[in-house]
Amino acid sequence: MMGPAHSLSGAAAWLGVGAAAGAAGHPMPWPVVVVGALICAGAALAPDLDHKAATISRAFGPLSRGLCEVVDNISHAVYKATRMKGDARRSGGHRTLTHTWLWAVLVGAGMSVLAVQGGRWAVLAILFVHMVLAIEGLLWRAARVSSDVLVWLLGAASAWILAGVLDQPGNGSHWLFTDPGQGYLWLGLPIVLGALVHDIGDALTVSGCPIMWPIPIGRKRWYPVGPPKGMRFRAGSWVELKVLMPVFTLLGGIGGLTALGFL
């Protein structure tokens, strides 16, 4: 799937979680609904950190381009070191290490620890990165014709404002995790969810996605999980643009209204 569909599916997924959390007796304060949806939208682009032509590669200029190249090389090295006899030879690392459940969990856990241990500036950094990615994904047409600096300024302003809102009593800094010292521990959840939603979206495409690594399936450790081939589509095809994106928008709207108590 392409960047806009990934981001839209990430936002819709968090809004759906918000509706489910309310039904389960853990309603989200409205800032958690909004911030979580934006973080999840941004995090849904992050697995493509192994692809030098992806949206995330240009989101932070030379820094993200260089990081993408490093991650691509590391992912390729891990693939070569762990592949089994049934896994094909590859010349790059795209859709390998960063497209797995293990990567999603480790990155989300790392962000939670950073948010708890690093204080306000760590929270601001996490919000800034994901706000920029959310802008690039959800507003991709506008972001492409805007300067990078303008997108970064919008991301920084959004992060500052939203962090201030979350810091207010009852606005969600301690949502779900209420013990002392657990403020913002929940920030890792939309990051994990965004990465997994990205992987599921890629699994629907022709190439599939090795979500289950390092668990072997048959003779493959990098088994490309996906539906039957007749049900798959090419990234950027009419199925993604004309069917899935409207569906994500509709489901996200219903989930958001339910999470906020309007339905």
Side-chain angles (χ1 to χ4, degrees), residues 79-152:
Y79 180 88
K80 290 191 296 183
T82 61
R83 74 182 186 93
M84 296 172 64
K85 291 183 178 179
D87 293 310
R89 295 185 179 275
R90 297 177 58 103
S91 59
H94 182 45
R95 285 202 188 183
T96 56
L97 180 61
T98 61
H99 287 67
T100 65
W101 69 269
L102 183 58
W103 174 274
V105 171
L106 290 177
V107 170
M111 292 298 102
S112 286
V113 171
L114 179 62
V116 172
Q117 299 297 325
R120 178 175 174 80
W121 288 106
V123 171
L124 283 170
I126 293 169
L127 289 177
F128 169 69
V129 168
H130 289 89
M131 292 307 107
V132 170
L133 292 177
I135 293 166
E136 292 281 358
L138 296 175
L139 303 177
W140 65 285
R141 291 187 186 276
R144 283 194 172 186
V145 299
S146 302
S147 69
D148 288 341
V149 174
L150 181 60
V151 174
W152 299 338

Side-chain angles (χ1 to χ4, degrees), residues 232-252:
R232 302 186 188 189
F233 59 89
R234 293 191 177 278
S237 69
W238 67 269
V239 175
E240 179 178 332
L241 299 175
K242 303 296 185 181
V243 178
L244 292 182
M245 290 183 68
V247 168
F248 295 151
T249 302
L250 177 61
L251 293 179

Side-chain angles (χ1 to χ4, degrees), residues 19-38:
H26 298 284
M28 294 180 181
W30 72 264
V32 175
V33 176
V34 173
V35 174
L38 291 171

Side-chain angles (χ1 to χ4, degrees), residues 13-29 32-33 175-176 189 255 258-259:
W14 183 258
L15 294 172
V17 168
H26 298 284
M28 294 180 181
V32 175
V33 176
W175 175 71
L176 201 60
L189 298 179
T258 303

Side-chain angles (χ1 to χ4, degrees), residues 24-88:
H26 298 284
M28 294 180 181
W30 72 264
V32 175
V33 176
V34 173
V35 174
L38 291 171
I39 291 176
C40 202
L45 295 180
D48 277 343
L49 198 57
D50 61 4
H51 189 4
K52 289 174 281 188
T55 301
I56 190 173
S57 72
R58 58 178 178 272
F60 299 96
L63 178 62
S64 53
R65 287 195 293 273
L67 183 59
C68 281
E69 187 168 356
V70 171
V71 173
D72 179 33
N73 291 333
I74 292 174
S75 298
H76 188 211
V78 172
Y79 180 88
K80 290 191 296 183
T82 61
R83 74 182 186 93
M84 296 172 64
K85 291 183 178 179
D87 293 310

Side-chain angles (χ1 to χ4, degrees), residues 1 48 51 79 87-88 90 94-96 99 198-211 220 222-236:
M1 286 170 59
D48 277 343
H51 189 4
Y79 180 88
D87 293 310
R90 297 177 58 103
H94 182 45
R95 285 202 188 183
T96 56
H99 287 67
H198 178 110
D199 296 344
I200 293 170
D202 278 353
L204 299 176
T205 63
V206 172
S207 301
C209 187
I211 303 172
K220 297 182 178 182
W222 298 90
Y223 185 87
V225 175
K229 291 189 176 180
M231 298 175 62
R232 302 186 188 189
F233 59 89
R234 293 191 177 278

